[in-house]
Amino acid sequence: MHLLFLSRPDRGHLYPTLRLAEELGGRGHQVTFASGDPYVDEAAGPGVRVLRFGRDERGLLDMAVFRAQGPVDAVVADPRTAKAAPAFGDLPVVVAGTNLARGHEWPGERAFDPYVFTVPGTRGAVHDPWRPGGRRPVLLVDGPPIGPLVRAFGDTEWQVVVGDSTRYAGLPHADVFLTDGRLAAVSAALRAAVPMVLAPGTAEEAGYARDVVALGAGRIAAPAELPAEDLRRVVEQLRVDEPTDATARRLAGLVEAAGAPATAADRIEDLLTAAPVARAA
């Protein structure tokens, strides 16, 4: 098959579906991997042609080098490019991304069907990843308000990283992740084996937070409503909670296997050889 991958980089300027494209190219498929980001890798694995489409995915249609590759059999889009897929014809469309998929013991993506989960690699990184200073414990924060954190951790040994420019790049160095529970954050934390303190702000986030608690990978708290000492106690307890840490490590192994390039490629091949394949919602 000739597979067209439409990709825009995530906040860390990674190309999460590039490893998947290379896996499919290595299996003998013709793969065009197209992105609008100027830092996309110039070289890819066998069977993969890398193109840039500028600001709009539809720009590919005007490129002679794209048209010369022959007709496309199916489109593999990411969540940010899925709406552009119909421009390439009445083709099967699969959305592939780094949010976890349903059908496992963790919360999963509901916005797209069909959807394939893929673990991101490190390709295309253009930002220096954040690294901690010294051996102080690290609390990575995404979502909850800053005020309670200042009161709770301002005079402690904790390094509190708020508003990371590459969003979840600091997770490999974090001891605890304080998040509002959005699916992208939960997915990233489960991949990185980092226990979570969850402060959901919406009904959807509350559902994901309950799923994480049921898995044994985190606790729910409301930082804005907790006295500083109580918030600090929750985070410090989670940092040294060995059962939670063991569960997080076990789940990370399962997540890695579920989103490995070979596993994701098998899923895409199964979807595209089934008849018919519905256009992604």
Side-chain angles (χ1 to χ4, degrees):
M1 290 182 287
H2 180 193
L3 304 177
L4 171 60
F5 273 68
L6 297 177
S7 174
R8 288 193 181 272
D10 65 15
R11 290 177 181 270
H13 279 254
L14 303 176
Y15 298 92
T17 59
L18 184 54
R19 288 201 307 167
L20 174 55
E22 290 175 325
E23 175 69 25
L24 289 161
R27 296 184 181 195
H29 299 290
Q30 177 188 355
V31 179
T32 299
F33 185 88
S35 177
D37 189 87
Y39 298 96
V40 66
D41 292 344
E42 293 291 347
V48 181
R49 179 72 176 271
V50 177
L51 297 176
R52 296 193 185 118
F53 51 69
R55 293 180 178 273
D56 189 332
E57 294 86 348
R58 297 164 184 84
L60 285 170
L61 297 169
D62 298 323
M63 295 173 58
V65 67
F66 174 68
R67 296 197 304 269
Q69 294 182 92
V72 172
D73 296 303
V75 176
V76 181
D78 65 31
R80 297 179 64 191
T81 61
K83 289 183 178 180
F88 296 89
D90 188 18
L91 301 172
V93 179
V94 176
V95 176
T98 59
N99 285 350
L100 293 166
R102 288 178 292 172
H104 298 275
E105 54 182 309
W106 46 67
E109 181 64 67
R110 299 171 184 161
F112 303 100
D113 184 24
Y115 176 83
V116 173
F117 165 59
T118 182
V119 172
T122 58
R123 303 285 294 281
V126 297
H127 296 299
D128 292 332
W130 178 87
R131 296 186 181 279
R135 298 184 177 181
R136 297 158 55 203
V138 174
L139 173 65
L140 183 65
V141 181
D142 178 56
I146 297 175
L149 302 174
V150 173
R151 292 190 291 273
F153 299 98
D155 59 350
T156 70
E157 64 173 343
W158 282 85
Q159 297 180 74
V160 180
V161 182
V162 181
D164 181 18
S165 63
T166 55
R167 202 58 172 269
Y168 309 126
L171 271 171
H173 308 289
D175 295 277
V176 179
F177 184 30
L178 175 57
T179 174
D180 53 17
R182 70 190 71 181
L183 183 57
V186 168
S187 298
L190 289 175
R191 292 197 306 267
V194 178
M196 287 169 266
V197 175
L198 302 121
T202 68
E204 183 178 53
E205 291 166 357
Y208 295 143
R210 289 192 295 270
D211 290 341
V212 170
V213 172
L215 289 169
R219 302 178 186 177
I220 295 175
E225 301 173 8
L226 286 177
E229 61 271 18
D230 290 344
L231 175 57
R232 187 166 59 245
R233 186 179 303 112
V234 169
V235 171
E236 290 177 342
Q237 288 176 347
L238 195 58
R239 175 194 173 200
V240 297
D241 188 320
E242 292 187 4
T244 300
D245 187 61
T247 297
R249 292 196 306 271
R250 177 182 66 82
L251 289 170
L254 296 176
V255 168
E256 179 68 29
T263 305
D266 287 345
R267 176 67 174 146
I268 285 180
E269 288 181 327
D270 289 345
L271 286 168
L272 295 180
T273 55
V277 176
R279 184 177 299 279

